[in-house]
Coordinates of all heavy atoms in Angstrom, one line a residue:
S1 N 42.3 170.8 64.3 CA 42.7 171.2 63.0 C 43.7 172.3 63.1 O 44.7 172.4 62.3 CB 41.4 171.7 62.2 OG 40.5 170.6 62.0
K2 N 43.5 173.3 64.0 CA 44.5 174.4 64.1 C 45.9 173.9 64.5 O 46.9 174.3 63.9 CB 44.0 175.3 65.2 CG 44.8 176.6 65.4 CD 44.3 177.5 66.4 CE 45.1 178.8 66.6 NZ 44.5 179.7 67.5
R3 N 45.9 172.9 65.4 CA 47.2 172.3 65.7 C 47.9 171.6 64.5 O 49.1 171.7 64.4 CB 47.0 171.3 66.9 CG 48.3 170.8 67.5 CD 48.1 170.0 68.7 NE 49.3 169.4 69.3 CZ 50.1 170.0 70.1 NH1 49.9 171.2 70.5 NH2 51.2 169.4 70.6
L4 N 47.1 170.9 63.7 CA 47.6 170.3 62.5 C 48.2 171.3 61.6 O 49.3 171.1 61.0 CB 46.5 169.5 61.8 CG 46.9 168.8 60.5 CD1 48.0 167.8 60.7 CD2 45.7 168.1 59.9
V5 N 47.5 172.4 61.4 CA 48.0 173.5 60.5 C 49.4 174.0 61.0 O 50.3 174.2 60.3 CB 47.0 174.7 60.4 CG1 47.7 175.9 59.7 CG2 45.8 174.2 59.7
H6 N 49.6 174.1 62.4 CA 50.8 174.5 62.9 C 51.9 173.5 62.7 O 53.1 173.8 62.4 CB 50.7 174.8 64.4 CG 50.1 176.2 64.7 ND1 50.7 177.2 65.4 CD2 48.9 176.7 64.2 CE1 49.9 178.2 65.4 NE2 48.8 178.0 64.8
K7 N 51.5 172.2 62.7 CA 52.5 171.2 62.3 C 52.9 171.3 60.9 O 54.1 171.2 60.6 CB 51.8 169.8 62.5 CG 52.7 168.6 62.1 CD 52.0 167.3 62.3 CE 52.8 166.1 61.9 NZ 53.1 166.0 60.5
W8 N 52.0 171.6 60.0 CA 52.4 171.9 58.6 C 53.4 173.0 58.5 O 54.3 173.0 57.7 CB 51.2 172.2 57.8 CG 50.2 171.0 57.6 CD1 50.5 169.7 57.8 CD2 48.8 171.1 57.2 NE1 49.3 169.0 57.6 CE2 48.3 169.8 57.2 CE3 48.0 172.1 56.9 CZ2 47.0 169.5 56.8 CZ3 46.7 171.9 56.5 CH2 46.2 170.5 56.5
R9 N 53.2 174.1 59.3 CA 54.0 175.3 59.2 C 55.5 174.9 59.5 O 56.4 175.5 59.0 CB 53.6 176.3 60.2 CG 52.3 177.0 59.7 CD 51.8 178.0 60.7 NE 50.6 178.7 60.3 CZ 49.9 179.6 61.0 NH1 50.4 180.0 62.2 NH2 48.8 180.2 60.6
G10 N 55.7 173.9 60.3 CA 57.0 173.4 60.7 C 57.6 172.6 59.6 O 58.8 172.2 59.7
E11 N 56.9 172.2 58.5 CA 57.3 171.3 57.5 C 57.5 172.0 56.2 O 57.9 171.4 55.2 CB 56.3 170.2 57.3 CG 56.2 169.3 58.6 CD 55.0 168.3 58.4 OE1 54.2 168.4 57.5 OE2 54.9 167.5 59.3
I12 N 57.2 173.3 56.1 CA 57.3 174.1 54.9 C 58.4 175.2 55.0 O 59.0 175.3 56.1 CB 56.0 174.7 54.4 CG1 55.3 175.5 55.6 CG2 55.0 173.6 54.1 CD1 55.3 176.9 55.4
D13 N 58.7 175.9 53.9 CA 59.8 176.9 53.9 C 59.2 178.3 54.1 O 59.9 179.1 54.6 CB 60.6 176.7 52.7 CG 61.3 175.4 52.5 OD1 61.9 174.9 53.5 OD2 61.2 174.8 51.5
A14 N 58.1 178.5 53.5 CA 57.5 179.9 53.5 C 56.0 179.9 53.5 O 55.4 178.9 53.0 CB 58.0 180.7 52.2
I15 N 55.4 180.9 54.0 CA 54.0 181.0 54.2 C 53.5 182.4 53.7 O 54.1 183.4 54.1 CB 53.5 180.7 55.6 CG1 52.0 180.6 55.8 CG2 54.2 181.6 56.6 CD1 51.6 180.1 57.1
L16 N 52.5 182.4 52.9 CA 52.1 183.7 52.2 C 50.6 184.0 52.5 O 49.7 183.1 52.5 CB 52.3 183.5 50.7 CG 51.8 184.6 49.8 CD1 52.6 185.9 50.0 CD2 51.8 184.2 48.4
V17 N 50.4 185.3 52.8 CA 49.0 185.8 52.9 C 48.9 187.1 52.1 O 50.0 187.8 51.8 CB 48.6 186.1 54.4 CG1 48.5 184.8 55.1 CG2 49.5 187.1 55.0
G18 N 47.7 187.5 51.8 CA 47.5 188.8 51.1 C 47.2 189.9 52.1 O 47.2 189.8 53.3
T19 N 47.0 191.1 51.5 CA 46.9 192.3 52.3 C 45.7 192.3 53.2 O 45.7 192.6 54.4 CB 46.8 193.6 51.4 OG1 47.9 193.6 50.5 CG2 46.8 194.8 52.2
Q20 N 44.5 191.8 52.7 CA 43.3 191.8 53.4 C 43.4 190.8 54.6 O 42.9 191.1 55.7 CB 42.1 191.5 52.5 CG 41.6 192.6 51.6 CD 41.2 193.8 52.5 OE1 41.9 194.9 52.5 NE2 40.1 193.7 53.2
T21 N 43.9 189.7 54.4 CA 44.1 188.7 55.4 C 45.0 189.3 56.5 O 44.7 189.1 57.7 CB 44.7 187.4 54.9 OG1 43.7 186.8 53.9 CG2 44.9 186.4 56.0
A22 N 46.0 189.9 56.2 CA 46.9 190.5 57.2 C 46.2 191.6 58.0 O 46.4 191.7 59.2 CB 48.1 191.1 56.5
L23 N 45.4 192.4 57.3 CA 44.6 193.5 58.0 C 43.5 192.9 58.9 O 43.4 193.4 60.1 CB 44.0 194.4 57.0 CG 44.9 195.4 56.3 CD1 44.2 196.1 55.2 CD2 45.4 196.4 57.4
I24 N 42.8 192.0 58.4 CA 41.6 191.5 59.2 C 42.0 190.5 60.2 O 41.5 190.6 61.4 CB 40.5 190.9 58.2 CG1 40.0 192.0 57.3 CG2 39.4 190.2 59.0 CD1 39.2 191.5 56.1

């Protein structure tokens, strides 16, 4: 599943996270 998510990252333009996710 992790590899699939990385495949998706190569197919989109931007990826967003919030403050807590970035910290933790």
